[in-house]
Amino acid sequence: ITYSKVALCAAYSPISLSTRSKLEQTTPEELYQFLGSPNNWPKIVLSSHSVKSSVQKNLDKPLRIGENVDEIFGLPPLLPLSVNWKCVASVPPSKAKSGRLEFYSQDGVPGIASSCRMTFNIDTSILDTGKKECDDTAVDLTLQMDYEPMSPIAILAIPVLTVDNAVALKLLLPSVLESISLTPLDKFRQLMGSLYGFAGIAHLGDCLVDSQLLISAGSPSYYELPPSGQAFALLWCAAGPFSFFASRTGGRIADLGLIGYGLIEILGAALIRFSSEGSIATSLDPFTNAILVQGVVLLAWLYSSKKED
């Protein structure tokens, strides 16, 4: 038995999915440029594998009206699915009007869904800070996805698409936009903050279990230290998570977190090296090692700060 495409579509009602997100760390113009460029889609959509064009085209720039792009999704090469999107509307946002991007695919995914439409509406809203002179703006983004099911698969996919769209707009899109806007120095601060945060937690676990790190540096175990020594060891461990959270704040606060961790580590190494208990130190000189490590961190900080220029 052969069913026409019209008959198959008539068996199911059209599907319309809407997802909204408010973005505070970007502008409408930046969001328009990002969403209009197909190469960015796989960065934020979990189900999107890649994009390609049959003609030589820069997919890092927004598509113009009438231009096409193939979006590959599913599980290629085991389950390669694709949609050929055509840009049918592209309105850059401005102070006088909202932005709009619309992509349409008549054929959709053959045998599964047809008349697929993906629309991004970009608006600006005012954030109420409680002070009229200090109100900030945010970008309201709405994704409208419409399609006509041709198979039960398209119906069963509704919950998956709903979650996929929500993750894209509410989690991955803000994260990717933030990483793009970060300067080399900010990226370095976050990297070191993450490393120090992990190190602090690892040091705490080591201190409370067998103190192998302290012992290898020539210190008594944590439980053999005097109360003042135990307090300093805990301060050393806490400096890691503090540096991590400070790095997420950015700017000079992030630098203070890195400097604080470095100074505490150098001071702790000096106490081990020059105390009487430090006479049992192995061939590893913790003080020299700490100086060298923090020196490398300082040079990396200086290098990253110059890259901003």
Side-chain angles (χ1 to χ4, degrees), residues 42 44-50 71-76 81 160-161 164-165:
I44 63 172
V45 181
L46 294 177
S47 61
S48 181
H49 178 268
S50 58
E71 182 181 15
I72 314 301
F73 61 99
L75 297 173
L81 302 175
V160 177
L161 291 174
D164 198 30
N165 292 343

Side-chain angles (χ1 to χ4, degrees), residues 114-301:
S114 64
S115 301
C116 300
R117 190 181 303 272
M118 178 171 61
T119 306
F120 295 100
N121 290 304
I122 304 171
D123 298 296
T124 302
S125 63
I126 304 297
L127 294 176
D128 186 6
T129 61
K131 298 181 180 180
K132 293 183 178 180
E133 67 276 10
C134 296
D135 285 347
D136 295 323
T137 60
V139 180
D140 289 323
L141 173 65
T142 301
L143 167 61
Q144 186 75 27
M145 182 174 289
D146 305 286
Y147 64 89
E148 295 183 3
M150 300 177 62
S151 161
I153 296 177
I155 304 297
L156 295 174
I158 292 176
V160 177
L161 291 174
T162 301
V163 172
D164 198 30
N165 292 343
V167 170
L169 265 62
K170 299 177 183 295
L171 296 179
L172 296 182
L173 177 59
S175 177
V176 173
L177 290 174
E178 181 183 7
S179 67
I180 292 175
S181 63
L182 288 177
T183 65
L185 182 56
D186 286 330
K187 292 179 181 179
F188 173 76
R189 287 164 172 159
Q190 292 199 0
L191 171 63
M192 293 308 304
S194 298
L195 293 176
Y196 284 166
F198 176 79
I201 296 174
H203 292 161
L204 178 62
D206 178 70
C207 285
L208 299 180
V209 178
D210 54 13
S211 303
Q212 286 300 308
L213 184 59
L214 290 176
I215 294 173
S216 65
S219 167
S221 69
Y222 172 78
Y223 295 104
E224 294 174 336
L225 290 171
S228 59
Q230 291 182 349
F232 189 88
L234 293 178
L235 176 64
W236 174 50
C237 297
F242 172 78
S243 179
F244 170 78
F245 289 112
S247 70
R248 267 50 191 176
T249 301
R252 296 307 177 193
I253 294 179
D255 291 337
L256 288 176
L258 300 182
I259 293 171
Y261 183 92
L263 291 177
I264 291 173
E265 185 154 282
I266 290 175
L267 179 57
L271 291 174
I272 294 175
R273 176 66 178 81
F274 299 109
S275 67
S276 56
E277 290 83 356
S279 60
I280 61 174
T282 62
S283 58
L284 173 65
D285 183 348
F287 181 67
T288 301
N289 185 63
I291 291 291
L292 291 175
V293 169
Q294 294 307 316
V296 171
V297 173
L298 175 60
L299 291 175
W301 187 96

Side-chain angles (χ1 to χ4, degrees), residues 4-55:
S4 69
K5 180 177 178 179
V6 174
L8 286 171
C9 291
Y12 304 100
S13 300
I15 303 297
S16 182
L17 305 175
S18 182
T19 307
R20 293 178 174 84
S21 180
K22 186 181 293 290
L23 303 162
E24 301 178 14
Q25 303 300 324
T26 189
T27 65
E29 294 77 14
E30 291 172 344
L31 193 56
Y32 168 82
Q33 291 288 331
F34 183 89
L35 294 174
S37 307
N39 269 345
N40 291 324
W41 298 348
K43 297 177 183 178
I44 63 172
V45 181
L46 294 177
S47 61
S48 181
H49 178 268
S50 58
V51 292
K52 64 179 183 179
S53 175
S54 57
V55 297

